Amino acid sequence: MAQEPSKIEALAGRRVLLVVTGGIAAYKALELIRLLRKAGAGVRCVLTRAGSEFVTPLSLQALSGDKVYSDLFSLTDESEMGHIELSRAADLVVVAPASADFLAKMAHGRADDLASTVLLATDKETLVAPSMNVRMWQHPATQANLATLRQRGVRFVGPDDGDMACGEYGPGRMAEPAAIQTAIAGYFAQPRPLAGRSALVTSGPTHEPIDPVRYIANRSSGKQGHAIASALARLGAATTLVTGPTALADPAGVTVRRVESARDMLAACRDALPVDVAVCAAAVADWRMAEAAAHKMKRGDQAELSLRLQQNPDILAALSAAGNQRPALVVGFAAETERVVELARAKRARKGCDWIVANDVSAETGTFGGDDNTVHLIAGDDTETWPRMRKQDVADKLAERIAERLGAAAEPS
Ligand code: C5P
């Protein structure tokens, strides 16, 4: 396969930690090492016990020019390079081939050998090239593991459709070494215009206690806020995500602070300052109990009950008015069901933020809790209407706009 020279060049000087697990495709890892080294990358290998049934440590060592690590409890290995350091010294962790069993281990956070321990301990991104029988690939258990890992930000290349060593045909064959090399190069070639910048993102709902067992909440899924944190981190920003309770996994490469109430969220946001950009995507509860009950409230005999509520702090407005701690760019969201742009413009002025991302959340749009979003970006007097797109894509586009804006602000006038 012909390679784009500009992308392949991105491999020069990079360090790849290659985890080789048990599968017939393990022999292709040898060719992958050769390609990576030819392009100037350093490769260090971790071999699982099952992997060593298919390739020998000696061949991996000969091609990588480095010691091969396989034993979690080896005194010599640990004294030379402990499993934590091994997991952090690389720029990217690549698992090729990744067996169904190893994907399951990754998804469940198991750490019973060196390879899985390294995966759990790493602070680097992970690229996985699955390799397995078509039925194992299609099994709901594998697909569920895959979905979990994707949600955590793990990247995948392949598998391809094709004839398998077991005589069956279908998806499951490991991507070719050249395709894996391209995916690795693509990762390193990604622009990082926000490197050296810091970002704060709020996400999810807040829970406001009524009594020790009940709370006021809303239906926010946190999908949009989490996707924004992930997108900003991918562009290189040191990103803190302050999130209310959600069912979502922590995005890769992001510092996550979990909170419950609006007041906790505000405190966590203040702790994260100073930052260059703050994006408030959380659906903060407007109200909390004026006084939450210390004990579970009893039903009693009365037919009605009134709760006395008190307004919560407005986090977006507070960050916009944070004096010398104010982020250079403060972005809010406005969920409206009518006159979307007009109301969002008024909100921008009221809150004192720089940009508002206005979205139509009327019931027929399915935005709340769904995967798609239709938004307008209101930046000063300019309004851009973006086509309906996935929340992930809204996040990427917004992160790009933020990078452009911060980049322009940094240029000497
Ligand atoms: O006023 P409204 O809730 O519609 O404003 C939405 C915007 O304000 C969102 O960016 C949301 O994250 C933010 N907000 C906040 N704190 C609140 C209420 C809203 O940060 N208490």
Side-chain angles (χ1 to χ4, degrees), residues 95 97-99 103 128-132 137 146 156-159 172-175:
V95 187
S99 63
L103 283 182
V128 172
S131 166
M132 65 199 74
W137 173 253
L146 207 68
F156 285 87
V157 50
R173 204 169 69 169
M174 187 172 89

Side-chain angles (χ1 to χ4, degrees), residues 202 280-286 312-316 332-334 347 350-351:
T202 70
C280 292
V284 183
D286 289 326
N312 261 331
D314 189 315
I315 297 163
L316 176 60
F333 271 72
K347 187 163 292 176
R350 207 165 55 241
K351 306 251 186 181

Side-chain angles (χ1 to χ4, degrees), residues 7 21 50 139 154 159 176 216 219 221 235 279 297-298 307 312 333-334 343 355 375 387 390:
K7 264 197 176 180
T21 78
H139 196 285
V154 172
E176 290 305 320
I216 302 169
R219 295 184 194 281
S221 64
L235 294 193
V279 182
M297 290 163 66
K298 298 283 180 287
L307 299 181
N312 261 331
F333 271 72
L343 294 177
W355 294 357
V375 312
R390 296 177 61 77

Side-chain angles (χ1 to χ4, degrees), residues 58 62 118 123 141 164 167 178 184 197 241 258 291 372 408 411:
L58 196 59
V118 158
D123 59 351
M164 318 208 89
I184 298 170
R197 302 291 196 166
L241 172 68
R258 294 173 185 283
E291 219 169 320
D372 289 349
E411 271 165 28

Side-chain angles (χ1 to χ4, degrees), residues 161-185:
D161 279 4
D163 289 319
M164 318 208 89
C166 51
E168 291 186 76
Y169 182 91
R173 204 169 69 169
M174 187 172 89
E176 290 305 320
I180 302 174
Q181 183 203 29
T182 304
I184 298 170

